[in-house]
Amino acid sequence: MKNWDDLRILLALSRYKTMTSAAQALEMNTTTVSRRLERLTEEIGATLFVRRGTKLEPTLRAKPLIALADQFDTEFFANDARDGEEPPAARTLRISIGLQVLVSIANPHLAEFLTSNPTLEIEFVDEERSVAFGEVDLLVGFKKPTEGRLVRTQLGELGYHVYYNKKWENGPKGYVTLPQQGTVETECSTLLENLFGRPRLKASGLHFLRSFLKTMPLAVCLPIKFAESDPELVPLNTEHSISYLPVWVSYHERRRLDPDVRIGIEFLRSCFSN
């Protein structure tokens, strides 16, 4: 199946979860969407969506097609924005993103992005803000948003491991904790408590952390990409491997055609692919 209109049907059903909502977003009637889905199912020879309660969920067979559609959708509107009229001089894109995701994924590519988009200003917010109420334009995090009227897509995955400063040849004797999110916090806390007992220190930021690791033989759970950028940090050999967690970006559906939102998503996606 190479028809973009067919891919749009799958993408809309994945985003909006019901025939009615998908049809409204596509500006089609529900009967047309239902008939097109039936035809696609027959063409591919596999079930593409299953009903769970009142919502439609994509099957494993449908997910690669939806990912392809989402990527095309992002690139199409980003290219369209670049090919259009000259944008206004003052433009600001507000992104809610955790500091650990920012420094691990986005920061290494930020200078190049700003050079390529000289009229766009980026405002990063290191705390969760509302997309629905317009507090930020994009929300990046580990939790898959479930609020209504939000468009959400997975950017990639971020892995965590335990590290310490290599100057401590005999290894760490304790650990320091950082504010984490969800599954990361649970897995890190369980692993480190099993190894060292209760934490001796807590740090609210990466700058405090660097100082602690240099002056004391302590371990910490960090994003792998961030730790690999610091030559003084080495991984602690443990039998436990911390899971890679999906990172999501979401925005309000009314911003779907906003060129700055599309360019921002394209930038974030490229950070994970590099």
Side-chain angles (χ1 to χ4, degrees):
M1 178 183 63
K2 298 180 180 180
N3 189 324
W4 166 236
D5 287 335
D6 291 340
L7 290 175
R8 286 177 65 227
I9 297 288
L10 300 183
L11 184 60
L13 289 170
S14 174
R15 285 175 172 173
Y16 298 102
K17 305 299 183 183
T18 69
M19 288 283 183
T20 301
S21 297
Q24 291 174 349
L26 293 167
E27 298 183 349
M28 297 178 179
N29 61 58
T30 304
T31 302
T32 300
V33 173
S34 178
R35 186 171 60 248
R36 294 277 292 275
L37 178 60
E38 289 179 5
R39 183 176 63 78
L40 292 174
T41 301
E42 292 178 1
E43 179 183 333
I44 293 172
T47 300
L48 299 175
F49 283 86
V50 294
R51 188 171 297 279
R52 302 191 190 283
T54 61
K55 295 183 178 181
L56 293 172
E57 295 293 341
T59 63
L60 291 176
R61 183 65 182 85
K63 287 182 178 180
L65 298 173
I66 293 169
L68 176 63
D70 184 62
Q71 181 178 0
F72 180 84
D73 185 56
T74 300
E75 292 174 353
F76 175 83
F77 285 108
N79 290 333
D80 185 61
R82 285 192 290 266
D83 294 338
E85 298 179 357
E86 184 69 21
R91 298 151 57 215
T92 300
L93 185 64
R94 299 162 301 165
I95 303 176
S96 173
I97 183 172
L99 181 59
Q100 294 184 42
V101 179
L102 174 62
V103 298
S104 303
I105 302 299
N107 192 47
H109 312 284
L110 191 55
E112 180 181 353
F113 174 73
L114 293 175
T115 301
S116 302
N117 298 274
T119 61
L120 184 63
E121 298 178 356
I122 305 294
E123 178 183 341
F124 289 115
V125 181
D126 183 24
E127 57 186 51
E128 187 170 327
R129 296 286 181 86
S130 173
V131 174
F133 291 101
E135 294 178 340
V136 289
D137 303 305
L138 295 173
L139 172 63
V140 179
F142 294 112
K143 298 178 182 178
K144 182 178 180 179
T146 57
E147 297 178 69
R149 304 195 67 188
L150 292 187
V151 180
R152 59 199 60 81
T153 185
Q154 183 177 335
L155 293 171
E157 295 180 324
L158 190 63
Y160 281 75
H161 197 66
V162 178
Y163 295 86
Y164 66 99
N165 194 296
K166 65 182 181 181
K167 69 182 288 186
W168 309 109
E169 298 180 357
N170 294 325
K173 305 303 180 183
Y175 69 100
V176 55
T177 62
L178 277 172
Q180 310 282 5
Q181 295 188 39
T183 305
V184 174
E185 183 173 14
T186 301
E187 293 197 26
C188 285
S189 297
T190 300
L191 171 61
L192 292 170
E193 284 188 21
N194 288 340
L195 291 171
F196 303 109
R198 299 292 297 172
R200 301 296 305 279
L201 283 173
K202 294 183 180 181
S204 60
L206 295 174
H207 293 296
F208 287 120
L209 176 70
R210 289 179 184 274
S211 176
F212 291 155
L213 296 186
K214 286 182 179 180
T215 57
M216 290 173 281
L218 299 174
V220 68
C221 185
L222 288 172
I224 294 172
K225 284 198 172 185
F226 171 75
E228 289 178 344
S229 68
D230 188 335
E232 294 186 351
L233 298 179
V234 292
L236 178 66
N237 294 323
T238 70
E239 296 179 356
H240 182 89
S241 178
I242 295 178
S243 302
Y244 280 78
L245 298 181
V247 179
W248 298 86
V249 61
S250 62
Y251 57 95
H252 199 278
E253 64 178 11
R254 67 173 177 267
R255 305 290 300 280
R256 183 175 181 273
L257 301 182
D258 187 310
D260 290 339
V261 167
R262 308 309 301 185
I263 290 172
I265 294 174
E266 183 185 34
F267 163 65
L268 292 168
R269 196 195 300 277
S270 70
C271 292
F272 279 89
S273 62
N274 292 331

